[in-house]
Amino acid sequence: MKMQTPYYLIDERKLLRNLKRIERVREESGAKSMLALKCFSAWCVFGLMKQYMDGTTSSSAYEARLGHDTFGKETHAYCVGYTKEDILSVKKYADKVIFNSASQLKRFFPLVRGAKLGLRVNPGFSYSHYDLADPARRNSRLGVVAVKELRAVSSLLSGLMFHFNCENDDVDNFAASLDRISRRYGKVLDAMEWVSLGGGLYFTKEGYELGRFCRALRAFSRRHGVQVYLEPGESAITQSAQLVTTVVDVVHNGCDIAIVDASVEAHMLDLLIYRIPAKIDKSCSGKHRYTVAGRSCLAGDVFGTYGFRRRLHPGSTVLFADAAGYSMVKKNWFNGLGMPSIAVQRLNGSIDVVRRFTYNDFKNNAS
Ligand SMILES: *Cc1c(COP(=O)(O)O)cnc(C)c1O
């Protein structure tokens, strides 16, 4: 039976490939991996993910609570700017509370006695292809910059967090960065129990030298006597979901344009922000060229231009690949378009539709 589109289809068997690599990193390097919920928070597959990962990390009080409630194990809380209410909430859910600035740490530490406290450090260098996502960009607000400022508060801390990578698939660059961090912060690091090296490391990518990655992590951990944490978002779930859509119309204006029952703006917003085309599932590719567009009223709601194996007509299926990370978490009700359902293909091959959205979800999102 054909399921009603659009829907996100998460494939646990594809997820498992990433999870096994994460497990290997823990075994070979000792580094624990915390899922970054801001990238992926589809808790319908946490039952599988928590068998291979050590917990979750968050960007807000709600994410910290979601991690605690749906994933369990260790919960790290981080937020660029906590309110007092956030702090009172996260202290119920988090094992570690990580602050973004020395001023927030000094203001709130008396409220979180008992939790392990951490501070984010901006090492002044980064790896990112996009200025928008560069944590060490000019005038960045992300983390403490001055070593002196860090030293002044280090007695309150049990750990530090360095998140300075975005889509970094270069293991030599990463190993060199660890050495720079050791040289610059060595004394402070030696006094810590744990260090989180953040996310943005593409270590589950095909061809990535995992052995070398693990050796660099283990050396860093031994050098400073710290438990290392990684915070994979994209690399935990990469290539594990599709957005399944159906063509609703084909129009012509200088080219053939297939309009599908989903939208980039509403359902894969990250692509629009970074101006990158959607990936089409390889199983569809061939010689018939179409531009595939969304059905929101935004003129630039375009997924991309692709060659298809067959001509597209209303009713044809179009599969977008890699729809898990930063897509599902950013889905929105722009234009009041029908929200893609969420389905999971389990390890045994069976498909569960775990969530369907209705008009009432749209209505309740406004007031
Ligand atoms: C975004 C983010 C992550 C996850 O990044 P990915 O690129 O998805 O791996 C981890 N830690 C922090 C602090 C982040 O801001």
Side-chain angles (χ1 to χ4, degrees):
M1 191 194 72
K2 206 172 158 188
M3 279 161 50
Q4 196 181 335
T5 62
Y7 58 94
Y8 297 99
L9 178 64
I10 308 169
D11 187 335
E12 287 194 334
R13 292 167 300 186
K14 293 184 186 161
L15 207 49
L16 193 58
R17 192 196 141 270
N18 297 326
L19 295 172
K20 291 218 157 126
R21 291 193 150 218
I22 288 173
E23 182 180 50
R24 184 177 150 203
V25 168
R26 189 193 317 101
E27 281 167 5
E28 281 185 30
S29 75
K32 295 185 177 182
S33 279
M34 312 291 278
L35 176 66
L37 293 176
K38 78 152 194 274
C39 169
F40 183 78
S41 59
W43 41 272
C44 53
V45 290
F46 285 0
L48 175 68
M49 296 184 84
K50 70 184 180 195
Q51 296 171 38
Y52 297 87
M53 300 183 75
D54 297 282
T56 55
T57 188
S58 57
S59 327
S60 64
Y62 282 174
E63 280 190 356
R65 181 175 174 180
L66 186 77
H68 173 272
D69 289 354
T70 62
F71 200 108
K73 302 185 87 173
E74 288 183 65
T75 305
H76 288 189
Y78 164 73
C79 183
V80 171
Y82 293 107
T83 62
K84 188 176 167 192
E85 291 70 31
D86 290 338
I87 289 290
L88 295 175
S89 168
V90 299
K91 82 175 199 188
K92 289 191 279 195
Y93 304 111
D95 307 287
K96 295 191 179 68
V97 181
I98 303 169
F99 291 92
N100 182 62
S101 70
S103 51
Q104 283 235 314
L105 169 69
K106 285 190 268 193
R107 191 156 130 227
F108 291 130
F109 83 88
L111 297 177
V112 275
R113 281 188 204 287
K116 290 185 186 262
L117 304 186
L119 185 60
R120 179 168 183 174
V121 179
N122 172 355
F125 55 84
S126 55
Y127 184 107
S128 175
H129 302 288
Y130 299 95
D131 181 60
L132 187 63
D134 180 355
R137 80 211 287 252
R138 197 173 139 82
N139 303 128
S140 172
R141 70 197 185 299
L142 303 173
V144 172
V145 177
V147 182
K148 213 170 128 193
E149 199 181 1
L150 172 61
R151 280 208 208 100
V153 294
S154 65
S155 63
L156 297 172
L157 303 171
S158 64
L160 302 178
M161 189 258 274
F162 296 84
H163 171 68
F164 59 103
N165 290 287
C166 183
E167 304 194 4
N168 187 349
D169 57 4
D170 178 347
V171 69
D172 291 325
N173 168 281
F174 178 64
S177 298
L178 289 185
D179 291 341
R180 281 173 85 177
I181 288 175
S182 282
R183 281 198 298 276
R184 183 139 189 226
Y185 303 98
K187 277 230 172 62
V188 185
L189 290 169
D190 291 344
M192 296 294 148
E193 288 170 27
W194 56 272
V195 173
S196 172
L197 296 167
L201 300 165
Y202 263 18
F203 64 95
T204 58
K205 192 173 165 176
E206 206 62 61
Y208 189 89
E209 264 189 89
L210 266 190
R212 180 143 163 55
F213 181 61
C214 291
R215 286 194 295 280
L217 291 171
R218 199 177 49 219
F220 181 86
S221 157
R222 291 210 175 135
R223 195 180 309 140
H224 302 293
V226 290
Q227 170 65 54
V228 168
Y229 287 91
L230 302 171
E231 302 177 352
E234 185 62 42
S235 52
I237 49 75
T238 195
Q239 308 285 344
S240 68
Q242 295 175 326
L243 177 62
V244 182
T245 69
T246 303
V247 174
V248 293
D249 196 9
V250 178
V251 297
H252 312 278
N253 183 7
C255 63
D256 295 329
I257 305 162
I259 300 172
V260 295
D261 58 357
S263 154
V264 185
E265 171 88 353
H267 310 137
M268 293 191 89
L269 179 61
D270 211 47
L271 298 174
L272 210 56
I273 294 174
Y274 289 98
R275 297 172 185 281
I276 39 186
K279 289 178 210 147
I280 205 104
D281 202 88
K282 283 189 209 76
S283 64
C284 317
S285 62
K287 66 178 194 324
H288 302 288
R289 285 193 83 69
Y290 289 86
T291 292
V292 180
R295 59 167 172 161
S296 82
C297 63
L298 180 76
D301 189 346
V302 174
F303 287 89
T305 300
Y306 315 93
F308 288 89
R309 185 176 303 166
R310 293 198 191 86
R311 295 210 149 277
L312 297 182
H313 305 285
S316 305
T317 300
V318 177
L319 303 173
F320 297 100
D322 224 358
Y326 299 99
S327 301
M328 300 174 73
V329 291
K330 292 191 178 192
K331 61 189 169 30
N332 63 70
W333 287 105
F334 185 58
N335 274 212
L337 297 175
M339 186 65 80
S341 310
I342 300 172
V344 184
Q345 183 143 30
R346 300 294 180 188
L347 290 179
N348 68 12
S350 68
I351 295 182
D352 292 341
V353 179
V354 294
R355 185 92 154 94
R356 280 196 181 88
F357 299 92
T358 64
Y359 166 73
N360 277 330
D361 294 306
F362 168 59
K363 186 181 174 197
N364 289 335
N365 197 50
S367 60

